[in-house]
Amino acid sequence: MAIIKLSATEQRRLSAFFTCLVLAALAWLCITLSNPYNYTVKRVLSYKNTPQKRAFHSLQSDTVDITIKGTGWQMLYAMMHYSSNSLVVDLRPLNTGNYVVLSSQQMQIADGEANHDVISFNPDTLYFDFLNRMVKRVPIKLLSNVTYQQQFSQANNSILKPSYITIVGPTERLNKITEWDTDSLIVNNVNETIRTRLNLQPVNEGNITIYPKAVDVIFPVDEFTEKTLEVPVKLINNNDFYNVKIFPEKVTVTFMTSLRRFAEIDENFFEADADLNLWKNQGYSTLPVKLTRVPPFCKVINVEPQNIDFIIKK
């Protein structure tokens, strides 16, 4: 293929032509986008002024389509930010009825759609089903993911203030709720007690309200050290009152515990059992030892011996 060689003058003319072409296209685009258009945007429903004495359940989707009149620039912006806004609906009409007409709130909705003219809604009427309403208190559950420096660990149960949440909503829904989670407490390389405030998990249903919405958390952390105790073994399920002698009568429990609690912990904090039913029903010749009580601030490392011998005297 032959290569067309242009003179300097021809190159300048060609460059000027393409420059004018680009400027003309930009001018056309600006004029076109400045014209008014009707376009549709999708909005997620949110509610205000919910009825205090009536529990409700929406009978339609949680989104609504709004037809808006605006410039092409506004339409382009709406297409790029389609999920950033919500449609706030006033539910005061539900105090006397079971539906809300969006077009009757067109003026206040238009305030939330700044510089836009709201034309119509689809659907225009929102219908609601009403249910029995109840108030319920459930415990708050802390969600945590905490890592510690070496020899540090959680020293006791976490303290939540308050420890319960009050939920108001439909009886059928609240009967299924037994606890309410916090946002996750995520902290790394911890070497001291954590004191913070966490939000509770948000409500995903418009007919349920919770109080409070945040909780104070004390997450006790302390340095741990190793300790060893001799714990008596208790024989259980000797229902026939055999005269049983066990060897040894105590086991050695090695555990990690908080330095603050080190001095106060003795064998009374633990309980070790051996089940005689394992011999009577399953023919065991030795009985395994099971720790049935361990303080929450202790982490057992080893129990020695793990099995004990026994003699039944007749």
Side-chain angles (χ1 to χ4, degrees):
M1 179 183 292
I3 299 177
I4 301 176
K5 295 184 178 180
L6 301 177
S7 65
T9 301
E10 291 172 329
Q11 290 178 359
R12 286 195 297 270
R13 289 177 179 175
L14 184 63
S15 176
F17 169 77
F18 281 112
T19 300
C20 292
L21 182 63
V22 170
L23 292 176
L26 290 175
W28 173 83
L29 180 63
C30 290
I31 293 173
T32 300
L33 292 177
S34 298
N35 292 329
Y37 298 94
N38 288 349
Y39 57 94
T40 300
V41 295
K42 189 178 292 292
R43 293 286 185 260
V44 177
L45 293 170
S46 64
Y47 304 116
K48 67 177 182 178
N49 299 322
T50 56
Q52 297 301 308
K53 298 181 179 180
R54 309 182 75 189
F56 61 89
H57 172 67
S58 176
L59 297 179
Q60 54 275 313
S61 170
D62 61 353
T63 60
V64 65
D65 293 330
I66 309 178
T67 300
I68 293 176
K69 183 177 182 180
T71 65
W73 293 108
Q74 293 170 328
M75 179 176 64
L76 183 62
Y77 180 85
M79 292 173 62
M80 296 174 62
H81 300 81
Y82 67 95
S83 62
S84 60
N85 294 328
S86 61
L87 175 64
V88 181
V89 179
D90 191 337
L91 295 186
R92 276 180 289 191
L94 295 185
N95 290 318
T96 55
N98 65 346
Y99 63 90
V100 174
V101 180
L102 295 181
S103 56
S104 66
Q105 302 181 21
Q106 186 165 337
M107 294 299 295
Q108 64 190 67
I109 291 175
D111 291 338
E113 301 289 341
N115 302 319
H116 297 73
D117 293 329
V118 177
I119 305 301
S120 63
F121 306 92
N122 183 28
D124 183 55
T125 303
L126 305 179
Y127 292 93
F128 297 84
D129 181 29
F130 291 94
L131 308 167
N132 293 328
R133 190 175 181 88
M134 71 177 293
V135 179
K136 184 177 182 179
R137 292 177 74 243
V138 298
I140 298 172
K141 179 183 177 182
L142 174 65
L143 299 182
S144 62
N145 184 4
V146 179
T147 62
Y148 309 91
Q149 290 185 9
Q150 188 173 1
Q151 287 193 273
F152 286 83
S153 188
Q154 183 174 352
N156 210 333
N157 294 328
S158 301
I159 300 173
L160 304 179
K161 297 181 179 180
S163 58
Y164 282 80
I165 184 176
T166 300
I167 313 175
V168 183
T171 301
E172 180 180 352
R173 179 68 181 90
L174 265 58
N175 284 337
K176 300 177 182 178
I177 299 176
T178 57
E179 60 186 12
W180 199 277
D181 294 340
T182 66
D183 284 345
S184 294
L185 174 66
I186 302 176
V187 191
N188 297 316
N189 205 32
V190 174
N191 63 1
E192 61 182 0
T193 294
I194 302 169
R195 301 175 187 271
T196 187
R197 186 170 180 82
L198 287 178
N199 291 327
L200 299 181
Q201 291 286 331
V203 177
N204 295 321
E205 303 170 48
N207 56 349
I208 292 179
T209 57
I210 63 171
Y211 181 83
K213 299 184 184 298
V215 62
D216 293 318
V217 178
I218 300 176
F219 192 89
V221 174
D222 196 6
E223 187 174 359
F224 275 56
T225 189
E226 187 175 298
K227 186 171 184 174
T228 300
L229 291 173
E230 288 191 337
V231 178
V233 178
K234 183 175 70 173
L235 192 67
I236 62 173
N237 291 324
N238 186 8
N239 300 320
D240 295 324
F241 303 102
Y242 293 111
N243 185 4
V244 182
K245 181 69 175 178
I246 60 175
F247 305 94
E249 295 182 345
K250 293 184 178 182
V251 292
T252 301
V253 179
T254 305
F255 57 94
M256 299 291 292
T257 187
S258 164
L259 280 177
R260 298 177 187 176
R261 310 292 294 266
F262 185 89
E264 69 181 86
I265 299 174
D266 58 24
E267 64 274 9
N268 296 317
F269 282 72
F270 295 83
E271 187 170 295
D273 293 345
D275 189 353
L276 195 61
N277 271 344
L278 295 176
W279 162 75
K280 182 178 180 180
N281 298 331
Q282 301 181 43
Y284 277 46
S285 59
T286 60
L287 300 178
V289 177
K290 181 178 180 181
L291 291 180
T292 55
R293 187 175 68 205
V294 177
F297 45 86
C298 296
K299 295 179 174 61
V300 175
I301 299 174
N302 187 40
V303 178
E304 186 64 35
Q306 297 183 2
N307 296 278
I308 60 172
D309 296 315
F310 63 97
I311 296 175
I312 298 178
K313 299 179 180 179
K314 297 184 179 180

